């Protein structure tokens, strides 16, 4: 990362740079929750950066954790905590990552750092294009928007995963030791192996395995209906709000979509749609300073009163009360 208060800190050897994209942020949200693109230090192959939590903290003074600053990124953050405990906000929920656990923040999620304190461990930042298309397809359940942020791998996988992360860190630091193309290929291969093993560890794959229902047509190569639904929801949640809208979009029956969603998520498709709209509303109201009227328009509600009833039903708070709570500094 680069502290925007100290823009000159871009010398080789520093951690990955986060570059604000004000144009993109302005289209999606106000500047208070900016969108960051990814750029590695000068001379490093593009698309993948590897450091440690402790080095990242040491290299960047008190930014972005003092005071905490929410933001979105166009890339993945993956951290293995080997010592201490790491606190991290993902979509306005404070998570605690214990030793042996992995924190995986996907592109687009609102995240906010806390001071890492005594937390230690490898920290991997990578763009979605860092691995090959066939690997990306296999990793789709793990990289999806609704995948869990904290992963606890099976004990049989834990040691291998930590060793592979450390090998990736060592190879990343070996820039110049071997031809650049070989260096980058090794980094990408290690990353792919790490993600495939992590995403398919028994303790972290139970939920994706449940989504085995495929859409009509019988083509085994097609993705599960529930995953197609989530992908479509990410694109259309602002304007499509009914389950039958998505069934038509996916070319399946309402019953097929409902059963697939119930099997994969343990809840109905209607609730999944409502929760996605609610999440976006919380993002925009919380620290982004959008008015209830602006959020209502953005999310396709007929009027502010209708949005207010929706928000209060799900949170117990009015939009104004929620925004006020988010704006109150912690003691």
């Amino acid at each position: 990362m680069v502290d925007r208060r100290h823009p000159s800190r871009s010398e080789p050897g520093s951690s990955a740079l986060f570059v604000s994209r004000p144009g993109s942020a302005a289209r999606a949200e106000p500047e208070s929750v900016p969108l960051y693109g990814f750029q590695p230090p000068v001379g490093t192959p593009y698309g993948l950066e590897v450091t440690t939590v402790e080095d990242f903290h040491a290299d960047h003074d008190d930014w972005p954790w003092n005071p905490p600053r929410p933001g979105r990124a166009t890339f993945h953050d993956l951290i293995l905590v080997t010592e201490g405990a790491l606190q991290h906000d993902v979509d306005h929920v404070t998570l605690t990552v214990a030793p042996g656990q992995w924190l995986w923040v996907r592109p687009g999620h609102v995240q906010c750092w806390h001071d890492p304190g005594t937390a230690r461990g490898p920290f991997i930042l990578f763009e979605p294009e860092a691995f090959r298309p066939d690997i990306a397809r296999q990793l789709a359940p793990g990289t999806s928007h609704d995948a869990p942020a904290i992963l606890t791998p099976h004990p049989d996988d834990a040691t291998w995963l930590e060793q592979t992360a450390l090998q990736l860190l060592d190879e990343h630091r070996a820039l110049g030791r071997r031809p650049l193309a070989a260096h980058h290929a090794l980094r990408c291969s290690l990353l792919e192996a790490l993600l495939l093993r992590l995403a398919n560890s028994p303790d972290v794959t139970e939920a994706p395995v449940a989504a085995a229902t495929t859409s009509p047509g019988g083509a085994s190569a097609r993705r599960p209906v529930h995953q197609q639904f989530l992908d479509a929801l990410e694109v259309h949640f602002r304007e499509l709000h009914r389950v039958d809208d998505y069934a038509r979009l996916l070319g399946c029956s309402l019953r097929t979509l409902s059963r697939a969603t119930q099997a994969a998520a343990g809840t109905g498709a209607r609730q999944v749609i409502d929760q996605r709209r609610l999440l976006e509303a919380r993002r925009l109201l919380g620290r982004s300073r959008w008015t209830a009227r602006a959020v209502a328009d953005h999310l396709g509600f007929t009027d502010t009163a209708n949005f207010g009833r929706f928000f209060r039903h799900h949170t117990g708070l009015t939009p104004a009360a929620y925004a006020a709570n988010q704006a109150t500094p912690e003691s």
Side-chain angles (χ1 to χ4, degrees):
M1 257 185 210
V2 63
D3 186 342
R4 287 182 293 163
R5 296 171 299 169
H6 301 90
S8 62
R9 297 192 58 168
S10 58
E11 67 275 7
S14 62
S15 299
L17 306 183
F18 287 64
V19 179
S20 179
R21 296 183 177 178
S24 299
R27 286 192 299 271
E29 297 187 340
E31 277 190 271
S32 54
V33 181
L35 178 69
Y36 293 102
F38 177 67
Q39 178 182 334
V42 175
T44 303
Y46 195 73
L48 171 61
E49 173 70 9
V50 191
T51 182
T52 64
V53 173
E54 54 270 32
D55 287 347
F56 175 75
H57 188 197
D59 287 343
H60 297 95
D61 300 325
D62 61 352
W63 185 86
W65 37 72
N66 186 22
R69 300 176 184 177
R72 291 182 179 183
T74 63
F75 49 89
H76 297 264
D77 287 349
L78 182 65
I79 296 174
L80 167 63
V81 175
T82 57
E83 298 179 33
L86 180 70
Q87 284 197 322
H88 200 83
D89 290 1
V90 180
D91 285 331
H92 307 291
V93 176
T94 300
L95 306 175
T96 300
V97 191
Q101 293 183 318
W102 295 74
L103 173 69
W104 191 343
V105 184
R106 284 80 177 178
H109 285 284
V110 174
Q111 60 176 313
C112 190
W113 286 82
H114 294 254
D115 188 323
T118 60
R120 301 285 186 272
F123 180 13
I124 305 166
L125 310 92
F126 59 95
E127 294 190 295
E129 298 78 16
F131 30 80
R132 294 166 290 170
D134 60 321
I135 301 298
R137 287 192 293 271
Q138 294 185 55
L139 289 172
T143 58
S144 66
H145 190 272
D146 70 328
I150 295 181
L151 304 178
T152 306
H154 191 277
D156 291 344
D157 295 318
T159 300
W160 187 94
L161 288 166
E162 180 176 351
Q163 291 175 347
T164 304
L166 294 175
Q167 288 175 2
L168 176 56
L169 175 63
D170 178 72
E171 181 58 38
H172 181 79
R173 290 173 170 173
L175 179 64
R177 188 185 302 169
R178 61 190 107 260
L180 184 61
H183 170 68
H184 187 47
L186 279 167
R187 293 192 315 148
C188 291
S189 295
L190 286 166
L191 176 65
E192 290 175 349
L194 173 67
L195 295 178
L196 284 169
R197 184 79 172 253
L198 178 61
N200 289 281
S201 183
D203 287 359
V204 298
T205 56
E206 293 179 0
V209 167
T213 305
T214 55
S215 58
S220 60
R222 295 194 64 183
R223 301 179 69 195
V225 169
H226 178 63
Q227 188 59 55
Q228 293 181 58
F229 170 45
L230 294 179
D231 291 345
L233 184 62
E234 278 304 299
V235 176
H236 298 289
F237 70 86
R238 296 173 184 84
E239 69 271 10
L240 298 183
H241 309 136
R242 301 188 307 173
V243 179
D244 56 354
D245 291 332
Y246 289 94
R248 282 195 297 271
L249 189 65
L250 299 178
C252 67
S253 69
L254 185 64
R255 183 181 181 186
T256 296
L257 176 55
S258 299
R259 292 178 65 181
T261 303
Q262 186 69 43
T267 189
R270 171 77 260 176
Q271 285 69 41
V272 173
I273 295 170
D274 286 348
Q275 287 302 312
R276 183 63 187 92
R277 299 175 83 196
L278 180 64
L279 173 60
E280 195 71 10
R282 291 174 62 198
R283 285 172 168 173
L284 297 176
L285 292 167
R287 297 176 179 166
S288 295
R289 304 174 191 169
W290 281 41
T291 64
R293 179 176 180 178
V295 176
D297 290 343
H298 183 70
L299 296 180
F301 286 90
T302 54
D303 53 47
T304 306
N306 187 22
F307 167 63
R309 287 191 292 270
F310 169 87
F311 193 86
R312 187 165 187 172
H313 171 74
H314 287 284
T315 68
L317 296 172
T318 66
Y322 179 83
N325 286 349
Q326 293 296 306
T328 303
E330 297 181 2
S331 56

